[in-house]
Amino acid sequence: MRRSTHRPSNGQRCALHLDGFDETMFEPGSIFDRDAPGNPYRDHSFAFIPYCTGDFHSGDREAEYGIHHVGYRNMGLYLERLVPTFCGASDVTLVGSSAGGFGTVFNYDRVRQAFAPRRVDLVDDAGPSTSPTTYISSTTSCRPSRWDRRCKPG
């Protein structure tokens, strides 16, 4: 996926692609490639949730430095829309890469409960390689208290 940022006159970084995403935004051969013969998801429905709040999709506060870490709130709003939209789904696969991989781990129980009794699988590509409890207790570079992380590991 192409990553683009720009710096407005105030010097802060802002995300581009605010008009949305379409199939041209994703690499050929990815799980979003409906033409890839080996893609097990090519006939599935997709909901792409962009990562944009700097909190692994699990924060719920505006930080003192001005960033709105509201990934937890956003995920709740997505689920309110996605569950009834895909009410006929036989199963759900929650997939995330990099920061999105962390988001899948932190939100798995929430997504599983929202889609119950359907099966929910998790694919974490380049997110945490340890359990959420180990990650949060051992990391010093990530400061979940700054964004009021709501998706507590079980």
Side-chain angles (χ1 to χ4, degrees):
M1 181 167 59
R2 293 177 295 200
R3 295 174 190 237
S4 300
T5 59
H6 74 286
R7 290 191 185 269
S9 60
N10 65 5
Q12 293 183 349
R13 277 205 153 146
C14 297
L16 294 180
H17 310 300
L18 298 178
D19 294 336
F21 293 84
D22 64 20
E23 64 277 357
T24 64
M25 298 298 298
F26 304 100
E27 296 292 326
S30 76
I31 63 168
F32 297 108
D33 185 350
R34 295 195 184 279
D35 296 324
N39 180 2
Y41 298 104
R42 71 175 180 235
D43 296 324
H44 290 220
S45 297
F46 300 113
F48 175 74
I49 301 174
Y51 177 67
C52 57
T53 58
D55 60 9
F56 302 132
H57 297 283
S58 63
D60 194 20
R61 81 159 30 152
E62 181 179 346
E64 66 274 4
Y65 42 87
I67 302 296
H68 294 253
H69 296 296
V70 292
Y72 179 85
R73 192 176 317 155
N74 288 347
M75 182 56 91
L77 294 170
Y78 283 119
L79 288 172
E80 285 178 19
R81 175 65 191 257
L82 291 172
V83 172
T85 299
F86 296 105
C87 61
S90 59
D91 56 83
V92 174
T93 304
L94 183 63
V95 179
S97 177
S98 191
F102 286 86
T104 61
V105 172
F106 291 138
N107 284 284
Y108 175 76
D109 283 336
R110 192 173 184 202
V111 172
R112 185 182 51 79
Q113 289 171 10
F115 279 99
R118 289 164 286 237
R119 177 183 168 148
V120 177
D121 294 320
L122 184 147
V123 177
D124 168 19
D125 178 16
S129 59
T130 61
S131 74
T133 304
T134 303
Y135 170 74
I136 291 300
S137 65
S138 66
T139 185
T140 56
S141 61
C142 177
R143 303 188 62 132
S145 63
R146 292 198 159 217
W147 29 268
D148 193 22
R149 187 176 58 81
R150 296 288 173 161
C151 302
K152 308 294 185 208

